[in-house]
Amino acid sequence: MTRTWAIATREYASFFRTPLGWIVAALFLFLSGLVFAQQTLRPGEPASLRSFFGVWWSMLVFIAPSISMRLFAEELRTGTIEPLMSAPVSEAGLATGKFAGALMFLMTCLAPTLIYAGVLEALSRPDYGPIAAGYLGVVLLGMMYLSVGLLFSSLTSSQTLAFMLTLFVLILSEVGATAAAARLDEPWAGIARSLSVQPRIADFARGIIDTGHVSFFLIMSAFFILSTALALRVRRWH
Amino acid sequence: MGPASGVHQCVYAPDPMIQADRVSKLFGRATPSTGSSRVRGVLAVDDVSLTIEPGVVTGLLGPNGAGKTTLIRMMTSYLTPSAGVIRICGHDSVLASGAARASIGYLPESAPVYPEMRVEDFLAYRARIFCVPRDKRKAAMDRALDRCSLADVRHRRIGQLSKGYRQRVGLAAAILHDPAVLILDEPSSGLDPSQIQAMRALVRDLTMGGPTGKRVVLLSSHILPEVSLTCDRVLIIARGRIRADGTPEQLVNNAASTSRSEYVLETLAGLSESATGAISAGVGGLPGVESVHVEVLGDGSRRLKIRPTAEAGDLREAIARAAAASAPGPALRELSRRTPTLEEVFNGIVERPESLVPASGVAS
């Protein structure tokens, strides 16, 4: 646990030591500010961040892979993976540590957006339930996207490739699930629908915390983190 | 969640040692075809067994692609052996990988480090990874920085340091947790001559230390003088197999007894043609002499290269007497025996064809 935490904190700190981390954070805040100003901060709109959360999932499709792409790919390219994987750290500990570092960075990017809730408070009387639920949904979705990116980052030494593959899979799964849900018969349509994240995020934005949705994101994240650990273990055989 | 949670993995066995038992590594896959099992992949390490003892510097010497790095990577658990068992201080490198890895300090080839980190932060990070207790971290870092002469750059970013400094940062990270076993892959590659000398002294110094006072130090190199100057024991590896094992002197002596020396005789500058001919004939007629090759030197002297037969012992006395008997008066200005250098021993071992090695060749 000490080791996992050491990896997580080093990873988190390294986002601030490289230009990439700052650029991602700036881009994210710029886009979310734009969305807030354009869609929420208008006369007559309800004092909620609902539409704001509604578009965040599509922003995360780009932001999460740009955070996750370097996690292992960078270490594989520079060779620092070797002292890391010959240190007494388990593959699962390594994958979890990297994931936790990336998640902490994503949450750091999200933190300044809390100011929007403050803006709403100043102008009107927002309902904090849906806002809290919305943030929970965004964090859970971010976890799943980061874990997918973590896996692809462990498979290649090219950050660009890791980014592209993650982006491709995230978009394909969303578009594919929606298309399949519309065309296939039951029970396949139901399975396809359950893989789509958009309706789940919409529920969170409405203020509904469904344990089904929460478990979905947690289980998917755990699955991809463990797959990463497996991919690292397989690497020792080659 | 204190540092104690991982401490059970950081206990050391009483005898620091590396043991490899019939270890092989096959990259790609073996396909059993009709009659014989044909190897289609690359057999980087081929049935290696060895024991490396503490207190002395052991060198793994071999040309590029001989399997040095692959063997080392299996010792550090970075790679899993295809066959065989490696034990680090008694811990199996696969089944008790955590304990095995905890007792190793490892400097990989070209010392990969995080360029964006400061030296001190990097060492603190490695100390946490190796579960050095919080109250001992500061002392451990100071000791490692001091031993590797890094105290003046401790606040600098690693990316700004020269190659020599970076190599030392990697070494400091490797000795941070006072490991029982220290493995250095090409520790002096990319260093200038004075840095190589400093590295050599440091490596010799590091055989003392570790939990029992005596440390296992294994280094690899493809540079022969490096190994013969630093190491007490040399393992020569080529095409995935250990070809020779011994002290540098033993290797030369063994080679001298099995391979042939050469005798060189030089006549005085003004010596007549006929006298030279007589000496050449006299020496050539000696038992144990296979051939005599005469060449004329610029100053009028003649050089005789005398090649003995394989069984011949020391022929210097016999050659001197034969030369004296063949020509009246003083005739010689030099008579010497050339034994093979470690370089020649090394080349002989490395280039010797070995039928056991698969035809696909070995490269890692």
Side-chain angles (χ1 to χ4, degrees):
Chain A
M1 201 60 205
T2 316
R3 298 169 175 130
T4 305
W5 186 240
I7 289 165
T9 48
R10 195 210 73 81
E11 200 58 51
Y12 177 69
S14 79
F15 279 109
F16 297 101
R17 293 200 191 98
T18 53
L20 180 81
W22 291 103
I23 291 169
V24 168
L27 202 68
F28 179 74
L29 289 172
F30 174 73
L31 287 176
S32 58
L34 208 63
V35 169
F36 180 69
Q38 288 296 308
Q39 300 213 342
T40 307
L41 211 58
R42 286 193 302 197
E45 282 287 311
S48 85
L49 292 174
R50 194 164 153 182
S51 60
F52 185 57
F53 290 127
V55 293
W56 259 13
W57 79 267
S58 52
M59 267 166 65
L60 277 179
V61 165
F62 294 92
I63 296 297
S66 56
I67 293 175
S68 65
M69 64 181 187
R70 58 182 291 281
L71 291 173
F72 281 108
E74 175 81 355
E75 305 241 12
L76 289 167
R77 189 181 61 79
T78 59
T80 47
I81 193 78
E82 197 177 343
L84 195 53
M85 285 184 68
S86 42
V89 192
S90 67
E91 288 88 354
L94 190 51
T96 312
K98 287 274 182 188
F99 171 78
L103 182 62
M104 287 192 292
F105 180 71
L106 180 68
M107 287 164 81
T108 308
C109 292
L110 283 175
T113 66
L114 289 171
I115 203 167
Y116 303 145
V119 171
L120 291 184
E121 174 68 38
L123 297 173
S124 148
R125 296 188 54 202
D127 182 355
Y128 284 105
I131 292 177
Y135 271 103
L136 178 66
V138 167
V139 169
L140 286 168
L141 181 68
M143 282 173 75
M144 187 177 94
Y145 283 0
L146 286 177
S147 67
V148 174
L150 182 77
L151 176 62
F152 283 111
S153 184
S154 75
L155 298 177
T156 170
S157 59
S158 157
Q159 293 191 37
T160 317
L161 196 58
F163 176 82
M164 297 304 283
L165 283 171
T166 312
L167 190 66
F168 177 74
V169 166
L170 293 184
I171 292 177
L172 186 76
S173 62
E174 192 56 33
V175 173
T178 314
R183 286 160 193 235
L184 293 178
D185 299 327
E186 295 295 340
W188 305 111
I191 293 172
R193 214 176 304 122
S194 69
L195 285 173
S196 175
V197 299
Q198 221 173 340
R200 295 179 193 274
I201 285 302
D203 275 357
F204 278 107
R206 273 200 292 272
I208 301 165
I209 299 177
D210 183 334
T211 46
H213 296 337
V214 175
S215 338
F216 170 80
F217 288 122
L218 291 180
I219 289 169
M220 291 299 259
S221 307
F223 171 78
F224 285 112
I225 294 170
L226 289 177
S227 303
T228 309
L230 193 66
L232 292 173
R233 176 152 286 205
V234 167
R235 199 165 268 283
R236 292 191 196 276
W237 291 91
H238 292 283
Chain B
M1 216 171 299
S5 60
V7 159
H8 66 282
Q9 285 194 342
C10 293
V11 287
Y12 300 102
D15 50 338
M17 199 178 272
I18 303 175
Q19 291 158 298
D21 187 17
R22 307 207 61 182
V23 171
S24 297
K25 181 70 189 179
L26 179 72
F27 291 114
R29 57 183 165 178
T31 47
S33 59
T34 46
S36 65
S37 77
R38 201 160 60 87
V39 176
R40 252 201 15 209
V42 173
L43 197 56
V45 171
D46 183 10
D47 202 13
V48 166
S49 296
L50 50 84
T51 301
I52 299 171
E53 312 271 354
V56 295
V57 181
T58 306
L60 196 57
L61 177 67
N64 288 325
K68 300 185 295 283
T69 299
T70 305
L71 183 57
I72 283 177
R73 284 179 170 175
M74 287 193 285
M75 289 173 176
T76 60
S77 302
Y78 180 65
L79 290 175
T80 306
S82 308
V85 177
I86 294 178
R87 285 192 188 81
I88 308 293
C89 306
H91 305 296
D92 188 300
S93 72
V94 178
L95 299 175
S97 170
R101 282 185 255 169
S103 36
I104 297 178
Y106 175 38
L107 174 68
E109 195 175 350
S110 77
V113 283
Y114 301 99
E116 79 277 6
M117 289 184 94
R118 291 178 198 285
V119 172
E120 213 169 31
D121 295 343
F122 177 64
L123 293 183
Y125 163 67
R126 293 297 293 184
R128 289 167 72 197
I129 296 264
F130 277 90
C131 67
V132 176
R134 192 186 294 263
D135 52 328
K136 293 191 181 137
R137 258 179 233 161
K138 178 89 175 60
M141 278 168 58
D142 286 342
R143 197 183 54 230
L145 286 167
D146 184 49
R147 280 202 109 159
C148 301
S149 321
L150 288 166
D152 51 330
V153 296
R154 63 190 297 165
H155 301 299
R156 296 264 299 274
R157 278 189 206 288
I158 299 173
Q160 298 171 339
L161 298 178
S162 69
K163 170 85 186 152
Y165 269 113
R166 242 180 275 184
Q167 197 88 359
R168 276 188 269 161
V169 171
L171 187 61
I175 62 172
L176 199 57
H177 57 295
D178 201 18
V181 173
L182 188 61
I183 298 179
L184 313 170
D185 196 358
E186 305 268 359
S188 47
S189 73
L191 301 188
D192 67 37
S194 73
Q195 290 171 328
I196 289 178
Q197 215 158 25
M199 178 64 88
R200 202 178 285 151
L202 181 57
V203 167
R204 293 210 61 92
D205 202 36
L206 287 170
T207 54
M208 295 299 151
T212 59
K214 272 188 173 184
R215 190 180 272 141
V216 172
V217 178
L218 174 69
L219 66 86
S220 84
S221 180
H222 63 277
I223 306 158
L224 182 92
E226 185 53 43
V227 168
S228 57
L229 283 171
T230 319
C231 302
D232 307 295
R233 180 183 171 200
V234 180
L235 297 160
I236 297 182
I237 183 170
R239 279 156 295 178
R241 285 179 160 240
I242 302 289
R243 308 281 166 161
D245 178 2
T247 63
E249 296 76 37
Q250 275 172 346
L251 292 182
V252 172
N253 290 344
N254 287 353
S257 64
T258 53
S259 69
R260 282 179 265 181
S261 321
E262 191 187 52
Y263 298 90
V264 174
L265 184 152
E266 277 182 30
T267 66
L268 291 175
L271 202 67
S272 68
E273 189 96 20
S274 61
T276 312
I279 292 173
S280 172
V283 171
L286 283 171
V289 172
E290 195 180 84
S291 66
V292 178
H293 176 77
V294 184
E295 57 185 91
V296 182
L297 300 181
D299 61 356
S301 164
R302 306 260 187 330
R303 179 183 286 158
L304 278 66
K305 283 188 176 165
I306 301 153
R307 202 174 141 76
T309 56
E311 311 80 56
D314 190 345
L315 292 176
R316 280 174 302 178
E317 294 260 339
I319 290 170
R321 285 176 202 287
S326 308
L332 306 186
R333 67 178 189 191
E334 186 189 336
L335 171 60
S336 58
R337 180 168 73 150
R338 271 191 70 252
T339 50
T341 61
L342 194 53
E343 185 97 42
E344 286 161 326
V345 175
F346 174 56
N347 289 337
I349 290 167
V350 165
E351 284 155 19
R352 191 182 303 156
E354 188 83 31
S355 57
L356 289 166
V357 175
S360 60
V362 175
S364 60

